[in-house]
Amino acid sequence: MAETSTVARPYAKAAFEYARDHEVLEAWSELLGKLGRVASVNEMQEIFSHPKLDTARKVEILIEVSESEVDDAARRFLDHLGEKGRLPALAAIAQQFEAFRAEHDRRMDVIIVSAFELNANQQETLGSALKKRLNREISITTQVDPSLLGGVILRAGDTVIDGSVRGRLNRLHETLSA
């Protein structure tokens, strides 16, 4: 079977394009997030794979359990997912929808891992430098990893910048070993 992210991508893109074109990005973001969380629960996955339930009933159960307000377009989207057997991929669809939305909004989530807790001034300095370099709005999440010894590791999308002491020592070791 295909990777869930591969299966989810075209559905997430179609949902995003619809929401963008109809100016309902926020509503669809909330809806898909809620449906994705409900769809990822083991009991709901069992319902999706139940052979005696038809597609319409599976969609109805999903909507009921999530307590979501679903308009006609969203209902057609869910019905289509059900017909194609893609309801179990709703969490991945929601995640990829958010990635499309972040790209559209020109924003990026950045994880900063440091050896010590960063103060607000340090976070602001790093945030403004990243905003300038990436040309995007930045949302920072910080983590502490004492094994870094010093410096930081920045993770922004697919980009990783390792400015940690541990990373520098590893690169020095590789250079000397070569």
Side-chain angles (χ1 to χ4, degrees), residues 21-102:
D21 295 347
H22 290 84
E23 299 180 2
V24 290
L25 280 170
E26 184 65 33
W28 273 67
S29 179
E30 290 177 23
L31 176 67
L32 288 175
K34 185 185 272 189
L35 292 172
R37 286 188 297 278
V38 170
S40 65
V41 174
N42 288 339
E43 290 83 355
M44 191 58 70
Q45 291 287 321
E46 289 174 15
I47 289 171
F48 293 153
S49 63
H50 196 286
K52 293 188 178 180
L53 289 175
D54 66 359
T55 300
R57 185 64 188 134
K58 291 175 184 178
V59 171
E60 288 171 16
I61 292 170
L62 174 65
I63 293 169
E64 284 175 29
V65 171
S66 69
E67 299 176 345
S68 297
E69 294 288 326
V70 178
D71 64 10
D72 290 340
R75 178 61 191 235
R76 286 192 307 273
F77 180 72
L78 292 173
D79 287 340
H80 183 73
L81 290 178
E83 290 167 9
K84 299 294 183 184
R86 302 305 193 207
L87 288 172
L90 257 170
I93 292 169
Q95 184 178 23
Q96 290 192 23
F97 180 94
E98 288 306 315
F100 285 122
R101 185 170 176 212

Side-chain angles (χ1 to χ4, degrees), residues 4 8 17-18 25 51 75 78 111:
T4 305
E17 289 173 354
Y18 172 86
L25 280 170
R75 178 61 191 235
L78 292 173
I111 299 172

